[in-house]
Amino acid sequence: MLGITEIAALVNTVVDKIWPDANIDAQSKADALKAELTQELQYTLGQLDINKIEAASSSVFVAGWRPAVGWICVSGFGFEFVLRPIGNGLLIAAGLPPVFPGIETEALSSLLWGLLGLGSLRTAEKIKGVVRAK
């Protein structure tokens, strides 16, 4: 014979299957998001450690690649947004056709954002609670 506690447990099980608790669902989604953000943070912290080791190296091939890529990005943006418009403008003013072609700035932008680490560091700041106030 079933007691009151067994009947209550059976009713609770049936009710939970028909009407699941929204709080439990929200908590499981929050836990999954927290796990994902923790994994991203660990990846970012690991990359920062690698960056420190590379920057401390005395070899120009290890420590110098980052500045070289930065100067390439700066040179490309300088050409695209300063030299090319001025050069083509001077040619047009002289009655000649513009001859300086544009370059692909999307690739430079992707390279620069990755080099600066701006993709995931903002997330890391939010997780650590050190987001700057505007």
Side-chain angles (χ1 to χ4, degrees), residues 26-39:
Q27 182 64 38
S28 66
K29 286 181 183 178
D31 289 342
L33 179 61
K34 181 179 178 182
E36 181 181 341
L37 291 175
T38 301
Q39 183 179 7

Side-chain angles (χ1 to χ4, degrees), residues 65-87:
W65 76 270
R66 208 174 284 268
V69 173
W71 282 111
I72 289 169
C73 288
V74 167
S75 300
F77 282 122
F79 172 78
E80 181 64 26
F81 296 113
V82 178
L83 296 178
R84 187 176 74 88
I86 290 173

